[in-house]
Each structure stands twice: as structure tokens, then as C-alpha cells.
Amino acid sequence: MTRPQLLIDTDPGVDDALAILMAAAHADIAGLSIAAGNVGLGHTVRNARNLVDLIGMSTPVFAGCATPLVRAPDEDAAFVHGQDGFGDVGFPEPKALLSGEPAALALLRLTRERPGELTLVALAPLTNLALALRLDPTLPQRVARLVVMGGAVTGHGNTGRIPAEFNIGFDPEAAHVVFEAFPRFDLVDWEATLRHAFDDAEFDRWLARGDQRAEFFGRIVATARAYNAANDRAGLIAADALAMAVALDPSIVTRRETRAVAVELDGRLTRGATVVDWAARLGRPAQANIVLEVDHARFAAMVQRALGVPE
Ligand code: BDR
Ligand code: CA
């Protein structure tokens, strides 16, 4: 099987890190475009460079927007991921360089150089993708697939605005632009993530048996695990890793529904919610393949390989 060819937009972030380790183990990565989100852009760029050092690849890193398109966000996710986004471990200054090219321009250039070849994997607020789309609305024609981690398709979100999931709620206008522009994309939402958490004891065994990647991940994930345990979230939750599994191998999906999905921009209590037309009442084109279930054993195998667990 030929290796998937990926372009990853990300805000590392602990679960972003696991997703990028998966990508490095199973695919070729054309570039990492970096968004603000989990923590500020300075941290997410630095964390991406640390990951490039860890995986020992020459993957280019492109910095994107430091803020959402329109409104300042209500919150970041430092309370889950740590103040620096990587569990406040205190890694040394990375060696990997930052490209001088802005993320949105890099997304456009790389997809022009390789039309139809790259799967775009969006693991962050969609600010960079929206900006790229505003500059060049033909972008969707040049990507093989778009996989988005975002949303909460029945309103069980994970932010201060109850139905909003973090990536969409951080920059709803950007998500609106992307959801309107792409005629088809895979949507891996927060609710699917919760259904696909890993058993804590099993995950600890993987961390103990893996290589330096497991050691690295074990250190950065500690803060997020403590937060989840204190907030009644069961198991090892890794939203971006689940989206990456779908990007790497779409045949892993065992249950999906294709529906029209829109983003609430104005709601007093619901701004950032992903509104799904489940009964197809509005006659709008159904653009989102909503991933409901994946083959959990295959997902687990992908994660173990990414952590260097011997087979
Ligand atoms: C998403 O938000 C971020 O905190 C995670 O990295 C993931 O991309 C989950 O809602
Ligand atoms: Ca993320």
C-alpha cells in the first residue's frame, strides 16, 4: 500500500502530538501549518518544532494566524494541555526551523504543487484554512480529502458554551467558511472521540513498552490525564488521534452518516455549535461525512505503532 500523503493543520496540543506521531509512523507529511488554539501561537509553533525534532524528519513548519478571524476567543485549552500546550514539561529550544512562509500561503502553494495528491487533516481551529480559502476559493478542488476534527453533532460539546466543541467554538467564522466551501469532508467530532477513548491501564502498558516517542508522550499527557480524571472523563481521550486514524485509513470507519452541517455564529448560548440537519429538512447539500464509529482495534494498533510499541 502506498503511504498516505498528508498536509496537517494543527495547534499542538497533546492530542495533536499523538496524531502527528501517528502520521509520521504511517504517512508522509508535506508540512505542518500551525494555528493558535489550545494555547497561543508562540507555544503551538514551538511545540510543532519539538515534534519535528522528535520524529527526525525534515517536515516544514509554517506559522499561521495568532487570533481567530473575527472575535477574540472566550477561552483557550491551557487548563487541559498545560500553559505551554505540552504539559509544562519544559523542553529545550527545538532545533527544527520555522519557515518564513505564512501557513495560509503554504497551504495554497503545496496544494498547487501537488494537485489532488494531499489529504488535508485539520486538527485545530480552522483559521488558517479559512484564510487560505478566502485567498483562493479553488483550494477544495486541489485536495484529495479533507478530514476535520471538530464539532459536537448532538450538542454535547466540551467548552464553556455547552453545545460547542473547542476547535469550532474557538473560531466559528472560520469553521463557517470551511464548512461552506468544501463540498465533502470527513467530520470527526468530540462525541465520537469520547466513544473511542482508550482504557487507562492498557494505555499505560503501551507507554511502558514503547520507545522514545512513548516516553515523550507519557510526559506531555500527564496534565491532560489529571484534568480528565478530575472532570469525570473516562479513559485516555485523544480527539486528534481519532481524526488522524480516519485520515490515514478511511476504511477504519464502521459507521457514518452524511448530513448537512452548519456552524452557529450568533447564538447567545450556542455560538460555535455545529448544527446538523439530521432529517434533511432544509434541502441543503449534505457535505459532512460524520464519523460515528471506527474499528477500535485498528485505531489502537495505529497508536501503538506510533508510540513504538513492539508488535
Ligand atoms: C480539540 O480541541 C483541542 O483541545 C484538541 O487538540 C482537539 O483538536 C478537541 O475538542
Ligand atoms: Ca488540536
Side-chain angles (χ1 to χ4, degrees), residues 24-91:
H26 298 272
D28 297 331
I29 310 173
L32 298 174
S33 61
I34 310 302
N38 283 321
V39 288
L41 188 69
H43 285 306
T44 56
V45 166
R46 189 179 200 268
N47 293 344
R49 292 169 56 220
N50 265 310
L51 280 169
V52 170
D53 283 354
L54 177 68
I55 59 183
M57 291 181 174
S58 55
T59 311
V61 177
F62 307 99
C65 303
T67 62
L69 290 185
V70 180
R71 286 204 216 166
D74 298 344
E75 58 185 28
D76 64 16
F79 56 92
V80 181
H81 298 259
Q83 294 304 313
D84 70 358
F86 265 5
D88 298 321
V89 169
F91 291 108

Side-chain angles (χ1 to χ4, degrees), residues 9-13 15-16 38 81 123-125 149 166-167 240:
D9 191 75
T10 175
D11 62 336
D15 58 335
D16 301 76
N38 283 321
H81 298 259
L123 306 175
M149 190 288 126
F166 182 78
N167 285 343
D240 293 336

Side-chain angles (χ1 to χ4, degrees), residues 132-155:
L133 281 162
R134 284 300 194 235
L135 290 168
D136 180 357
T138 68
L139 171 65
Q141 297 163 23
R142 295 197 302 277
V143 301
R145 292 169 63 211
L146 169 66
V147 180
V148 174
M149 190 288 126
V153 296
T154 67

Side-chain angles (χ1 to χ4, degrees), residues 145-149 184-188 246 250 256 288-289 291:
R145 292 169 63 211
L146 169 66
V147 180
V148 174
M149 190 288 126
R184 189 52 62 95
F185 56 90
D186 291 331
L187 186 67
V188 179
V246 172
R256 69 166 67 76
N289 288 323
V291 172

